[in-house]
């Protein structure tokens, strides 16, 4: 993922489908839409997702992480 501030992040998402993964990632990173932008996400104020791509999927029967988004680097 690349943000409007040109920061790049790689992370894992636990979701039942690719579409659900995109939706979950946008919600987790940007938060929920509000009249002044987005609130409650993990990006800095005013920063948005500019490019979000999925590089593949893995079958992980056991998700070893506490949150649905893991290893945000």
């Amino acid at each position: 993922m690349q943000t409007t501030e040109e920061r790049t992040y790689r992370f894992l998402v636990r979701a039942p489908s690719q579409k659900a993964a995109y939706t979950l990632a946008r919600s987790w990173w940007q938060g929920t839409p509000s009249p002044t932008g987005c609130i409650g996400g993990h990006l800095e104020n005013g920063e948005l997702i500019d490019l979000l791509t999925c590089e593949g999927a893995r079958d992980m029967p056991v998700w070893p992480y506490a949150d649905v988004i893991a290893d945000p680097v």
Side-chain angles (χ1 to χ4, degrees):
M1 172 184 83
Q2 187 168 356
T3 70
T4 52
E5 298 296 319
E6 298 187 14
R7 291 184 181 93
T8 301
Y9 296 92
R10 294 175 56 96
F11 53 92
L12 301 172
V13 178
R14 182 180 187 191
S17 68
Q18 185 173 349
K19 182 178 178 180
Y22 278 105
T23 301
L24 182 61
R26 284 193 180 281
S27 174
W28 194 85
W29 284 102
Q30 291 184 167
T32 55
S34 76
T36 59
C38 292
I39 56 170
H42 291 82
L43 294 176
E44 294 184 23
N45 287 343
E47 189 173 17
L48 299 172
I49 295 172
D50 189 35
L51 176 64
L52 180 62
T53 57
C54 179
E55 293 184 1
R58 289 186 217 163
D59 184 16
M60 295 178 75
V62 176
W63 184 254
Y65 307 102
D67 203 354
V68 294
I69 300 286
D71 292 338
V73 178

